[in-house]
Amino acid sequence: MEGSLTGKPSTWHELHSHLKDESLDDGYATATWVISHVHQTRDAPCRYFRIVQTGPNSSDNYMLSIGGIELY
């Protein structure tokens, strides 16, 4: 997950990353993650958020299906 205050190119920074995360492998699964570390030089509020898929999912394809998302 990346965040940005302006949404302009080069203003996005990583908020959270997953590698081999199996918490959503089951169908219709839900999960919660805490953003525990924001880079100190970019510790600013975010107005825009995006999810970037950089590899295949648990079905070994590149489909990113999101039925809902809540940000607090």
Side-chain angles (χ1 to χ4, degrees):
M1 173 171 270
E2 297 178 345
S4 170
L5 183 58
T6 65
K8 296 180 181 178
S10 78
T11 65
W12 291 94
H13 55 277
E14 184 178 280
L15 299 174
H16 197 67
S17 180
H18 297 263
L19 182 62
K20 297 185 180 181
D21 186 342
E22 297 177 356
S23 58
L24 295 174
D25 281 355
D26 296 332
Y28 304 104
T30 62
T32 302
W33 297 280
V34 176
I35 297 173
S36 58
H37 175 72
V38 178
H39 193 278
Q40 292 178 351
T41 61
R42 297 184 178 169
D43 192 9
C46 295
R47 182 176 182 184
Y48 301 95
F49 299 89
R50 67 183 180 186
I51 297 174
V52 180
Q53 182 175 329
T54 59
N57 60 23
S58 61
S59 299
D60 201 30
N61 64 47
Y62 287 87
M63 183 190 321
L64 179 61
S65 299
I66 300 175
I69 186 169
E70 296 180 20
L71 305 172
Y72 298 96

